[in-house]
């Protein structure tokens, strides 16, 4: 059958009106069980699938959630977040319309306007920067739920990551191994996520009477390169710190590569740790100590909030904070040397 089968197609084969077919497929009480079974059998045979868009239009509802992220790919946390959101949405009978802004504010805004025009019920936005006025203007009455660490905590719909606590965990772990000369490596653009990591790190170091060293190099668009550049700058400045905490796992991978090229062993000469825990259980040779962002919990909570806003407009909880957890592997160890 060349065309997509419809309710009328099934009705013609079953000798029923399309209204009766619709009722049978919806298990209406005024249709006999025998008729329901016959209609379902024909529907399976012709490969009928419901026209969700038409049904939603009739019911004046939508089953689509929009999601906009700065970038996609296995080298970002957003790939993992989308997988979790997509799975949680499907479990609730919703699909997800995804847009990547490629870290462009203009494209981020256009994605918002296009998705609102396509009548998504809510938008999950991991914004490019901490400036979100253009997103809120583009979304209008469609609820925008901000996900991650870049958004100010006073936003009414926000699922925030407490990256300040990341700094505390990193310093606790490294000082517990005897490290006192520790550097935090970050990158541009500066945003609330980077700010929180730097503040948490600085406060935790100063609380222990230690001098915080922070080096910001490169860009989020190429964190592997930023990691290599950071190592070169540190070597040019003098002795390397005994421990390096990197603001992302891929920054840490760039650091590990650069250290290896210079013949510097990890963790023998320098301990290295990252942030996010992106797929590194699949690459045991890297053995990277890191801080795990609870993506599964974050994705599920984002969908629950979106559905609550779409169905009732008054969610039980509109703002949640998620904290990272320490994952210890082999790239960190006790101090074994004087600074290089």
């Amino acid at each position: 059958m060349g065309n997509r089968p419809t309710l009328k197609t099934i009705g013609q084969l079953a000798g029923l009106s399309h209204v009766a077919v619709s009722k049978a497929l919806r298990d209406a009480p005024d249709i006999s069980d025998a008729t329901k079974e016959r209609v379902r059998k024909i529907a399976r045979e012709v490969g009928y699938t419901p026209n969700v868009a038409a049904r939603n239009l009739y019911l004046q509802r939508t089953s689509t959630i929009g999601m906009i992220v700065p970038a996609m790919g296995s080298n970002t946390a957003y790939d993992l977040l989308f997988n979790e959101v997509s799975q949680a949405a499907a479990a609730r009978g919703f699909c997800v319309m995804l847009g990547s802004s490629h870290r462009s504010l203009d494209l981020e805004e256009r994605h918002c306007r296009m998705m609102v025009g396509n009548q998504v019920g809510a938008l999950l936005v991991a914004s490019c920067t901490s400036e979100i006025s253009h997103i809120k203007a583009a979304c209008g009455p469609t609820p925008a739920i901000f996900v991650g660490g870049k958004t100010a905590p006073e936003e009414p719909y926000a699922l925030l990551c407490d990256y300040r606590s990341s700094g505390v965990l990193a310093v606790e772990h490294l000082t517990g191994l005897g490290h006192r000369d520790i550097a935090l490596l970050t990158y541009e653009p500066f945003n609330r996520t980077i700010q929180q990591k730097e503040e948490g790190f600085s406060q935790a170091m100063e609380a222990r009477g230690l001098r915080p060293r922070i080096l910001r190099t490169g860009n989020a668009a190429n964190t592997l390169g930023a990691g290599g550049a950071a190592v070169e700058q540190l070597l040019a400045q003098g002795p390397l710190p005994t421990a390096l905490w990197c603001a992302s796992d891929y920054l840490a991978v760039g650091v590990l590569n650069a250290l290896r090229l210079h013949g510097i062993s990890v963790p023998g000469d320098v301990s290295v740790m990252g942030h996010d825990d992106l797929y590194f259980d699949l690459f045991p040779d890297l053995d990277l100590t890191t801080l795990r962002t609870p993506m599964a919990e974050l994705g599920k909570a984002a969908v629950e909030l979106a559905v609550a806003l779409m169905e009732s407009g008054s969610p039980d909880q509109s703002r949640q904070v998620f904290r990272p957890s320490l994952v210890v592997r082999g790239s960190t160890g006790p101090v074994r040397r004087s600074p290089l």
Side-chain angles (χ1 to χ4, degrees):
M1 195 171 292
N3 296 324
R4 176 179 175 174
T6 65
L7 295 176
K8 290 183 178 179
T9 306
I10 300 171
Q12 289 169 358
L13 295 172
L16 299 168
S17 70
H18 72 278
V19 174
V21 170
S22 176
K23 284 186 171 185
L25 292 174
R26 288 186 286 110
D27 201 26
D30 56 340
I31 303 293
S32 70
D33 290 341
T35 299
K36 291 175 185 176
E37 182 55 37
R38 183 159 59 93
V39 167
R40 290 170 185 153
K41 183 174 183 293
I42 294 171
R44 289 193 298 270
E45 290 173 349
V46 300
Y48 170 78
T49 55
N51 188 330
V52 176
R55 183 184 65 194
N56 288 342
L57 182 63
Y58 175 77
L59 296 173
Q60 294 187 320
R61 56 158 284 179
T62 179
S63 58
T64 304
I65 298 169
M67 183 172 183
I68 302 171
V69 299
M72 286 294 290
S74 58
N75 63 336
T76 75
Y78 305 112
D79 185 68
L80 183 57
L81 178 60
F82 172 71
N83 289 340
E84 298 294 347
V85 166
S86 180
Q87 181 177 345
R92 295 290 302 268
F94 289 81
C95 65
V96 182
M97 181 184 295
L98 176 66
S100 172
S101 66
H102 296 277
R103 305 187 191 278
S104 162
L105 298 184
D106 177 65
L107 186 54
E108 184 174 60
E109 181 177 352
R110 280 192 285 146
H111 272 310
C112 288
R113 294 191 185 281
M114 287 188 290
M115 289 188 183
V116 169
N118 279 282
Q119 297 185 322
V120 298
L123 269 166
L124 307 179
V125 184
S127 58
C128 291
T129 69
S130 298
E131 169 53 47
I132 58 172
S133 59
H134 62 294
I135 296 172
K136 297 174 77 171
C139 290
T142 302
I145 301 165
F146 293 95
V147 181
K150 298 186 183 78
T151 313
E154 59 266 18
E155 280 302 315
Y157 307 124
L159 302 172
L160 307 174
C161 295
D162 180 7
Y163 292 123
R164 198 170 276 105
S165 69
S166 297
V168 175
L169 286 173
V171 172
E172 282 180 351
H173 173 63
L174 294 171
T175 56
L177 294 169
H179 295 279
R180 298 181 62 80
D181 187 5
I182 306 168
L184 165 59
L185 308 183
T186 66
Y187 43 80
E188 298 290 350
F190 185 71
N191 53 47
R192 187 176 175 82
T193 296
I194 298 296
Q195 178 185 0
Q196 288 185 79
K197 290 176 182 177
E198 292 185 359
E199 288 177 352
F201 172 77
S202 296
Q203 290 166 6
M205 289 287 285
E206 290 167 356
R208 291 164 173 78
L210 304 176
R211 180 176 68 89
R213 295 174 64 178
I214 298 175
L215 180 63
R216 198 184 305 159
T217 59
N219 193 278
N222 182 14
T223 49
L224 285 172
V231 170
E232 298 302 328
Q233 285 194 38
L234 286 170
L235 286 170
Q237 291 172 4
L240 279 179
T242 64
L244 303 173
W245 175 41
C246 303
S248 78
D249 286 341
Y250 277 88
L251 183 68
V253 172
V255 167
L256 292 172
N257 288 338
L259 291 173
R260 184 176 64 251
L261 289 173
H262 283 280
I264 299 170
S265 70
V266 175
D269 295 322
V270 179
S271 285
V272 178
M273 64 184 297
H275 197 293
D276 293 332
D277 198 30
L278 297 179
Y279 309 109
F280 286 104
D281 56 334
L282 302 177
F283 305 101
D285 289 346
L286 289 172
D287 210 18
L288 181 66
T289 295
T290 189
L291 293 161
R292 175 178 293 151
T293 304
M295 288 299 180
E297 296 89 336
L298 186 60
K300 183 178 179 181
V303 171
E304 293 294 331
L305 178 53
V307 172
L309 286 166
M310 292 162 68
E311 293 184 344
S312 67
S314 55
D316 293 334
Q317 191 169 13
S318 60
R319 188 183 299 109
Q320 298 180 53
V321 177
F322 297 82
R323 290 179 172 82
S325 58
L326 178 66
V327 181
V328 179
R329 298 191 179 102
S331 66
T332 53
V335 177
R336 301 177 189 172
R337 62 161 179 88
S338 299
L340 292 177

